[in-house]
Amino acid sequence: SQTIHQWPATLVQPVGSPLSLECTVEGTSNPNLYWYRQAAGRGLQLLFYSVGIGQISSEVPQNLSASRPQDRQFILSSKKLLLSDSGFYLCAWRSGSSGANVLTFGAGSRLTVL
Amino acid sequence: GQSLEQPSEVTAVEGAIVQINCTYQTSGFYGLSWYQQHDGGAPTFLSYNALDGLEETGRFSSFLSRSDSYGYLLLQELQMKDSASYFCAVRGGNNRKLIWGLGTSLAVNP
C-alpha cells in the first residue's frame, strides 16, 4: 500500500533562520507531489507541485523553494524565514493512474516562526 | 476568475442529517471532490463526482449538478466524530489544477 511520510511534525524557528521540510512517498512510482500551506482556520494554498524528478512548478512567489531530488522525495526549503511563513505545511501525492481528484496527504508539519 | 463557495460553519445534533453545499465558478470542470479535516490533522479524501448525480459511501453521500455548478455533501446519522472541517475542491481551469474552497466547520452537538 502507498504511504506518505512528512517530517518534522512540529518546529519553532526564529525569523531569518533556514527551513527544510521533507516528504517521502512509498509504494508508488512517479507520483505527482504537492506542497500546500494552510493558515490557521483557512483553506489550502498550493505552493509547489512536481510531476517528476527535478520538475518543480511554483504557484505563489515567495521566499520558499522546493526540490525533488528523487522520484519519491519532495523537499520544501527556505533560506530565511519570515513571520508570515508560519502555518501548517502539507505534502500530498496523486498517482498518475488514480482518480483525477484524489490526493493523499502527509500528517503535516506545523511551523511557528517567532 | 475561479472560485468555490461553501458555508463557513454548520451546526447539527447527533443522529441528524446535514448538507454542506458548494458552488463553483471555473473555466473548465473535471470533477468535484470532498475532503474531511479534523483539528490538527491532515485532510482525508471522502468522495469524488465527475458526473451528475449522487455518489454514496456509507453515511456520506455527494451530489453534483454540472449545469448548476453546484454540489453538496450529505452526512447522515451524524456522530460526534464527524465534527471537523469539510472542503470541496474542483479540478478546473485550463491547467486542470485543484481549486479549494475555504472549508465548512461542522460542529456536532449531543
Side-chain angles (χ1 to χ4, degrees):
Chain A
S1 63
Q2 300 92 354
T3 57
I4 180 168
H5 303 279
Q6 187 180 341
W7 69 94
T10 307
L11 62 167
V12 180
Q13 297 284 106
V15 169
S17 65
L19 172 73
S20 181
L21 302 179
E22 190 161 341
C23 172
T24 59
V25 181
E26 296 178 359
T28 187
S29 60
N30 195 32
N32 291 343
L33 296 173
Y34 305 81
W35 277 112
Y36 282 90
R37 177 170 61 200
Q38 186 176 35
R42 301 288 294 174
L44 282 78
Q45 178 188 32
L46 179 62
L47 302 175
F48 301 95
Y49 71 94
S50 172
V51 298
I53 296 174
Q55 301 178 64
I56 308 294
S57 295
S58 174
E59 290 297 301
V60 183
Q62 57 210 329
N63 69 321
L64 299 173
S65 62
S67 62
R68 187 165 175 179
Q70 300 179 43
D71 181 45
R72 286 169 282 183
Q73 183 185 30
F74 203 22
I75 298 171
L76 181 69
S77 304
S78 174
K79 292 182 179 179
K80 288 186 177 181
L81 285 168
L82 306 172
L83 286 174
S84 58
D85 292 324
S86 293
F88 192 41
Y89 288 82
L90 291 154
C91 179
W93 75 274
R94 178 173 71 88
S95 169
S97 60
S98 74
N101 288 349
V102 181
L103 291 181
T104 301
F105 288 86
S109 299
R110 193 165 302 279
L111 170 65
T112 303
V113 182
L114 302 176
Chain B
Q2 303 180 99
S3 64
L4 276 73
E5 289 191 14
Q6 55 180 125
S8 59
E9 295 180 352
V10 174
T11 302
V13 296
E14 270 188 301
I17 299 173
V18 72
Q19 178 175 311
I20 300 174
N21 298 322
C22 176
T23 57
Y24 59 88
Q25 182 176 3
T26 60
S27 56
F29 177 82
Y30 303 96
L32 173 68
S33 298
W34 289 93
Y35 288 77
Q36 178 192 61
Q37 185 181 29
H38 286 99
D39 276 350
T44 57
F45 172 79
L46 288 178
S47 68
Y48 169 63
N49 296 69
L51 302 175
D52 292 348
L54 192 68
E55 294 283 342
E56 298 181 72
T57 308
R59 295 187 295 114
F60 294 180
S61 303
S62 58
F63 172 82
L64 174 66
S65 169
R66 288 174 295 172
S67 61
D68 295 321
S69 298
Y70 163 77
Y72 66 72
L73 180 69
L74 190 73
L75 298 85
Q76 303 182 73
E77 300 173 19
L78 281 173
Q79 302 175 10
M80 298 292 287
K81 67 179 183 179
D82 297 328
S83 293
S85 291
Y86 293 85
F87 293 87
C88 60
V90 168
R91 186 168 301 281
N94 296 329
N95 52 21
R96 302 193 182 192
K97 289 180 182 172
L98 205 56
I99 305 157
W100 292 81
L102 294 182
T104 298
S105 178
L106 170 64
V108 180
N109 298 318

